[in-house]
Amino acid sequence: MLILDYYIGKIIAVSTVLVLTVFLSVTIIFGLIDELRGSNASYQFLDAAQYVALTIPCRIYEVLPYVSFIGALVGLSILSTNSEIVVLRAAGLSVERIFGSVMVPVLGFLALGIIVGESVAAGSEQAAETYKAQSLQKRSDIRFQETYWYREGSLFMSVDAITTEGDLVGISQYWQNPSGELVLSRRAASAEYRSMESPYWLLRGVTETTFNGLDVSIQNYPEKIWRGRATPRLLGTSVLLDPNKLSILSLYYQISYMEREGLDAKPYQLALWQKCFQPLMVAGLALVALYFVLGPLRNSGIGSRVASGVFVGLVFKYFQDLFAPISLIFELPVVLSVILPILISWALGWYGLKRLS
């Protein structure tokens, strides 16, 4: 049995690597095209190429669940084309046992993806966003395409970028009184975090505007100290990255901050539960792949199976992407919105295989 597990696992692993190579190549090409669509003279091909290269770990982490599904489908198709699955079943190997052999390499790739996502992807994605912001800042007449916001009590702050060292670039701060009126605004070119017994941010190139009724006063400062609860880690996760691109620990950190400030943390909770339930999602897709090979696509060629796999993977992804915002709009439990598509894939795959048994 160990020899059979090794043989099946080897075919699935090789197929998954090939599929990952194709998917990654396509996403990189489209990523470059998307980055070069703008007309910024300071953002050249080499800048776009370096930005896309820094996002590769995150791209791998994002596509790996669907790559594992299609890789399993391709590997099983190869076994089916060579009539090896028929021989295995004729030898008394149950569908459940074949599924267990398939899941060994699939879960191995998933574990690798989790390691990449938790240890490399978030940091490289932050470095990519910082590099892009700095590249766009080469010319003073170019404004950043996005503004990232942070809230702390009555303070609302926007940040253009954060460097890999944790320094802020392009800071705008706004304070309101209890009535919601603007009382103070501040613009700083950059800020450096000083981690001491009493940590603070050292703002540089500061322009401060004070509003007192009809009176408005403006002061300029070379440097100014801002003492807030924000840290480079918190700002790095909250202002630069989408929830789906954060690590599990960063998501937990971000959720704690948002709940403390009374903000809506559901998008981050949704991303957290999606990452936690990812192994179940991949296993459900692998179960569907096994059903396809043994059932409706039994007599089809590898091309038809791969096309069907891509279609099913896209349907599943779009269903997830559509159901998640719907659940937020109708205030459904976040866990339910994540687990329901996974349960559907498990139910379809298991019901189909039971009919074949």
Side-chain angles (χ1 to χ4, degrees):
M1 296 303 297
L2 291 177
I3 295 176
L4 290 176
D5 289 337
Y6 173 78
Y7 181 71
I8 296 174
K10 179 181 177 181
I11 292 178
I12 300 296
V14 172
S15 301
T16 304
V17 170
L18 292 175
V19 173
L20 177 60
T21 303
V22 173
F23 266 65
L24 195 58
S25 301
V26 171
T27 58
I28 288 175
I29 291 172
F30 278 99
L32 276 173
I33 294 173
D34 186 59
E35 289 300 311
L36 294 172
R37 283 190 305 179
S39 58
N40 292 327
S42 65
Y43 194 63
Q44 302 296 326
F45 175 80
L46 291 178
D47 297 320
Q50 184 165 342
Y51 170 81
V52 172
L54 289 170
T55 63
I56 287 178
C58 190
R59 293 175 189 272
I60 292 175
Y61 184 57
E62 289 177 346
V63 303
L64 202 55
Y66 307 101
V67 164
S68 300
F69 161 62
I70 298 175
L73 184 61
V74 171
L76 289 169
S77 298
I78 294 173
L79 293 172
S80 177
T81 301
N82 297 330
S83 301
E84 291 170 299
I85 288 186
V86 176
V87 173
L88 292 175
R89 297 195 67 189
L93 208 64
S94 65
V95 173
E96 291 82 2
R97 188 65 184 81
I98 296 175
F99 176 68
S101 299
V102 171
M103 284 306 300
V104 172
V106 169
L107 291 179
F109 277 102
L110 183 61
L112 178 63
I114 292 174
I115 293 173
V116 170
E118 293 300 308
S119 61
V120 180
S124 65
E125 192 74 16
Q126 178 174 323
E129 294 295 336
T130 300
Y131 175 80
K132 182 177 179 179
Q134 291 174 339
S135 298
L136 291 173
Q137 206 183 25
K138 291 176 184 176
R139 282 174 51 191
S140 59
D141 60 330
I142 293 178
R143 299 182 62 185
F144 295 109
Q145 296 177 346
E146 296 182 70
T147 300
Y148 306 96
W149 289 90
Y150 166 80
R151 177 185 173 185
E152 183 178 301
S154 61
L155 165 67
F156 295 83
M157 182 174 73
S158 67
V159 178
D160 289 335
I162 182 170
T163 68
T164 54
E165 293 79 18
D167 296 340
L168 305 182
V169 178
I171 307 102
S172 296
Q173 297 177 326
Y174 308 93
W175 278 268
Q176 293 181 335
N177 61 19
S179 301
E181 298 173 334
L182 181 65
V183 294
L184 177 67
S185 70
R186 181 185 293 160
R187 177 69 182 177
S190 63
E192 178 185 349
Y193 188 68
R194 298 292 177 88
S195 180
M196 307 175 67
E197 183 177 348
S198 180
Y200 64 90
W201 288 91
L202 181 63
L203 307 177
R204 294 190 175 92
V206 181
T207 300
E208 191 172 274
T209 304
T210 304
F211 301 89
N212 184 15
L214 298 178
D215 297 329
V216 178
S217 60
I218 300 176
Q219 296 288 334
N220 295 316
Y221 303 93
E223 295 181 342
K224 194 173 184 66
I225 291 176
W226 168 54
R227 300 186 185 275
R229 288 181 289 183
T231 62
R233 178 184 178 184
L234 178 59
L235 292 177
T237 58
S238 65
V239 305
L240 287 179
L241 303 181
D242 294 329
N244 291 329
K245 296 181 179 180
L246 296 175
S247 66
I248 292 176
L249 290 177
S250 296
L251 283 170
Y252 178 79
Y253 194 71
Q254 182 70 12
I255 290 170
S256 300
Y257 148 70
M258 299 190 77
E259 290 178 344
R260 183 187 72 219
E261 296 297 329
L263 303 174
D264 184 15
K266 283 187 177 180
Y268 292 89
Q269 292 171 345
L270 184 65
L272 176 63
W273 285 113
Q274 284 177 338
K275 292 179 182 293
C276 291
F277 284 117
Q278 192 179 72
L280 285 177
M281 180 190 74
V282 174
L285 291 175
L287 195 65
V288 172
L290 182 58
Y291 165 63
F292 276 4
V293 172
L294 297 179
L297 300 180
R298 180 174 59 251
N299 299 320
S300 301
I302 293 180
S304 300
R305 290 167 178 166
V306 172
S308 300
V310 172
F311 175 76
V312 171
L314 288 174
V315 168
F316 184 85
K317 175 174 174 52
Y318 289 142
F319 179 69
Q320 268 195 323
D321 294 344
L322 180 63
F323 189 73
I326 290 176
S327 66
L328 296 179
I329 293 173
F330 292 98
E331 298 184 351
L332 298 176
V334 175
V335 178
L336 177 63
S337 64
V338 175
I339 199 67
L340 186 59
I342 298 174
L343 290 177
I344 291 174
S345 67
W346 269 90
L348 291 176
W350 198 257
Y351 176 73
L353 289 175
K354 281 300 182 182
R355 290 188 60 187
L356 297 174
S357 300

